[in-house]
């Protein structure tokens, strides 16, 4: 009897060490360096895996909107890491996180999610939100400290 495998698991081809290094340093630098990026990416993968069983009318509306929102969240986090000043991009990421929370709430009210899926969504979204809020505060504090004495941003 064959061992059960995850239907969503994609087979990976073996990479040469040089290709693996390129992948880790050039293409996916944020995944290892910023925990909030990894958490948001994991949540996006979770959404892709769990929404395939939704009824058609929700899968192609609500689920797609959730995916787009989480993709925007990832883009904002990536931009915040690569661009200065960071607070505007972190603020965009927080906004995307709030949108995702609203979409989750709608999915929950429509009973589209199982209990264990709800718990995962709640934990991941609250973790991402807390990390983004702390990052935003840190960047604002750093920005204010770099201003000349006597001038403070609100």
């Amino acid at each position: 009897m064959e061992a059960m495998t995850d239907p969503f698991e994609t087979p990976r081809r073996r990479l040469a060490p040089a290709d693996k290094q390129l992948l880790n340093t050039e293409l996916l630098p944020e995944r290892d360096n910023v925990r909030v990026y990894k958490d948001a990416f994991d949540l996006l993968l979770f959404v892709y895996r769990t929404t395939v069983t939704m009824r058609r009318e929700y899968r192609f509306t609500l689920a797609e909107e959730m995916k787009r929102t989480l993709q925007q969240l990832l883009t904002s986090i990536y931009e915040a890491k690569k661009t200065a000043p960071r607070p505007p991009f972190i603020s965009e990421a927080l906004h995307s996180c709030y949108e995702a929370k609203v979409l989750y709430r709608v999915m929950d009210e429509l009973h589209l999610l199982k209990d264990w899926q709800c718990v995962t969504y709640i934990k991941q979204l609250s973790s991402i939100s807390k990390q983004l809020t702390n990052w935003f505060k840190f960047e604002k504090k750093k920005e204010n400290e770099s201003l000349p004495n006597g001038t403070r941003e609100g």
Side-chain angles (χ1 to χ4, degrees), residues 24-116:
N24 288 334
T25 58
E26 296 297 323
L27 300 178
L28 301 172
E30 302 310 310
R31 205 169 142 193
D32 295 328
N33 298 338
V34 181
R35 184 171 163 235
V36 68
Y37 184 90
K38 183 191 179 317
D39 288 349
F41 190 80
D42 289 346
L43 181 60
L44 178 62
L45 291 179
F46 182 76
V47 169
Y48 270 96
R49 289 176 179 142
T50 58
T51 57
V52 294
T53 59
M54 283 185 177
R55 290 193 311 240
R56 186 179 180 87
E57 70 250 34
Y58 298 119
R59 186 172 60 234
F60 294 113
T61 55
L62 197 54
E64 286 302 314
E65 179 132 3
M66 176 67 94
K67 291 171 190 173
R68 276 192 298 278
T69 301
L70 291 174
Q71 289 167 352
Q72 179 58 44
L73 171 65
L74 284 168
T75 303
S76 298
I77 293 168
Y78 187 85
E79 288 293 325
K81 183 65 179 156
K82 291 293 180 189
T83 312
R86 292 180 173 155
F89 294 106
I90 299 171
S91 183
E92 281 180 31
L94 275 166
H95 180 74
S96 296
C97 192
Y98 299 143
E99 282 183 33
K101 285 181 180 182
V102 169
L103 292 168
Y104 155 75
R105 178 69 184 190
V106 172
M107 287 179 179
D108 187 44
E109 288 295 319
L110 293 171
H111 304 289
L112 301 176
L113 303 170
K114 297 177 177 129
D115 289 341
W116 67 271

Side-chain angles (χ1 to χ4, degrees), residues 122-139:
I122 291 167
K123 283 181 178 178
Q124 284 291 97
L125 283 172
S126 65
S127 172
I128 292 166
S129 181
K130 285 177 188 174
Q131 289 176 65
L132 287 171
T133 302
N134 290 336
W135 191 16
F136 183 78
K137 288 177 184 176
F138 173 78
E139 290 295 332

